[in-house]
């Protein structure tokens, strides 16, 4: 998977629905362990709440999903929150919706709508970003080739993280993985075979 959607930043959004207070806390988590830590942190913070409903979806393919109604009627709370996450195609995302009961019963349909609305508001406030897979490279070239390489990196959405100027220039560069073969050929042609590329690791980041 070369790209995926996730939460931009931690956020919290509060709304009142028929006198019940709903507080959506939203964050990004890259592991199931981190997701549980966030859930437990919110539960501790709002330990006096009537319910702390949650859902999360972890993994580049969203392969880890958990949800909890936390005492609400089955299928009326955790599942709707998870469905909001899925509908936005979000990964590595955790949403906890805290409810303080206001004295008016909402019914099954009302609960589904309330928790869905609260989760949606929280995610909207947090924002959504698209993370893209990049390949990190170490490139060594001569000075005469740098200008042309710099222009080509812009064309393939390459990012220069660092540059060390010695007898040759050593660059730390991030590129989309599907541009690797093209870049290898380019460096070879620009430098007459004297340039060098070492493949480092892969990482997801916002371009």
């Amino acid at each position: 998977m070369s790209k995926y959607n996730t939460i931009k930043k931690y956020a919290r959004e509060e709304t009142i629905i028929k006198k019940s207070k709903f507080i959506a806390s939203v964050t990004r988590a890259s592991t199931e362990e981190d997701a549980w830590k966030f859930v437990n942190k919110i539960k501790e913070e709002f330990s006096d709440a009537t319910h702390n409903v949650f859902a999360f979806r972890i993994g580049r393919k969203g392969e880890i999903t958990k949800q909890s109604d936390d005492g609400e009627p089955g299928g009326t709370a955790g599942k709707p929150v998870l469905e909001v996450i899925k509908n936005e195609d979000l990964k590595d995302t955790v949403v906890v919706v805290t409810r303080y009961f206001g004295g008016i019963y909402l019914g099954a349909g009302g609960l589904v709508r309330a928790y869905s609305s609260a989760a949606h508001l929280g995610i909207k406030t947090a924002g959504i970003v698209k993370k893209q897979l990049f390949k990190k490279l170490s490139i060594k070239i001569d000075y005469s080739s740098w200008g042309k390489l710099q222009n080509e990196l812009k064309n393939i959405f390459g990012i220069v993280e660092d540059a060390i100027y010695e007898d040759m220039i050593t660059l730390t560069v991030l590129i989309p993985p599907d541009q690797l073969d093209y870049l290898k050929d380019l460096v070879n042609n620009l430098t007459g075979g004297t340039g060098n590329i070492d493949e480092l690791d892969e990482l997801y980041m916002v371009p």
Side-chain angles (χ1 to χ4, degrees), residues 37-51:
K37 284 181 179 178
F38 181 73
V39 169
N40 291 330
K41 177 183 176 183
I42 300 301
K43 283 186 173 183
E44 182 178 350
E45 180 181 357
F46 296 111
S47 59
D48 61 335
T50 315
H51 306 281

Side-chain angles (χ1 to χ4, degrees), residues 108-147:
L111 286 172
V112 170
R113 289 189 293 273
Y115 279 103
S116 298
S117 176
H120 179 75
L121 286 173
I123 289 171
K124 183 178 180 181
T125 299
I128 296 174
V129 293
K130 189 177 293 293
K131 280 201 163 187
Q132 180 174 334
L133 181 64
F134 282 85
K135 186 83 173 178
K136 181 177 281 191
L137 309 171
S138 177
I139 304 176
K140 186 170 285 189
I141 58 168
D142 55 66
Y143 283 80
S144 61
S145 304
W146 173 219

Side-chain angles (χ1 to χ4, degrees), residues 46-198:
F46 296 111
S47 59
D48 61 335
T50 315
H51 306 281
N52 282 294
V53 168
F54 71 84
F56 59 76
R57 192 177 186 215
I58 308 298
R60 301 297 178 258
K61 297 180 180 179
E63 57 268 30
I64 301 172
T65 60
K66 301 289 182 183
Q67 65 184 58
S68 170
D69 295 314
D70 194 36
E72 294 280 29
T76 64
K79 184 178 179 180
V81 173
L82 183 59
E83 287 303 309
V84 172
I85 295 172
K86 287 182 175 180
N87 288 340
E88 296 288 354
D89 196 24
L90 294 170
K91 318 295 191 334
D92 293 353
T93 298
V94 190
V95 179
V96 182
V97 180
T98 300
R99 182 190 183 190
Y100 285 90
F101 181 57
I104 298 176
Y105 291 96
L106 303 181
L111 286 172
V112 170
R113 289 189 293 273
Y115 279 103
S116 298
S117 176
H120 179 75
L121 286 173
I123 289 171
K124 183 178 180 181
T125 299
I128 296 174
V129 293
K130 189 177 293 293
K131 280 201 163 187
Q132 180 174 334
L133 181 64
F134 282 85
K135 186 83 173 178
K136 181 177 281 191
L137 309 171
S138 177
I139 304 176
K140 186 170 285 189
I141 58 168
D142 55 66
Y143 283 80
S144 61
S145 304
W146 173 219
K148 292 181 180 179
L149 177 61
Q150 191 173 29
N151 288 333
E152 286 301 315
L153 285 172
K154 292 178 182 178
N155 292 335
I156 63 171
F157 305 104
I159 300 168
V160 179
E161 272 197 332
D162 190 26
I164 300 173
Y165 299 91
E166 296 175 328
D167 293 341
M168 296 183 74
I169 304 175
T170 302
L171 306 166
T172 302
V173 174
L174 297 168
I175 64 163
D178 60 359
Q179 298 295 328
L180 179 59
D181 290 339
Y182 168 76
L183 190 61
K184 284 181 176 179
D185 290 340
L186 177 66
V187 169
N188 186 60
N189 291 333
L190 285 176
T191 65
T194 62
N196 182 65
I197 293 181
D198 289 324

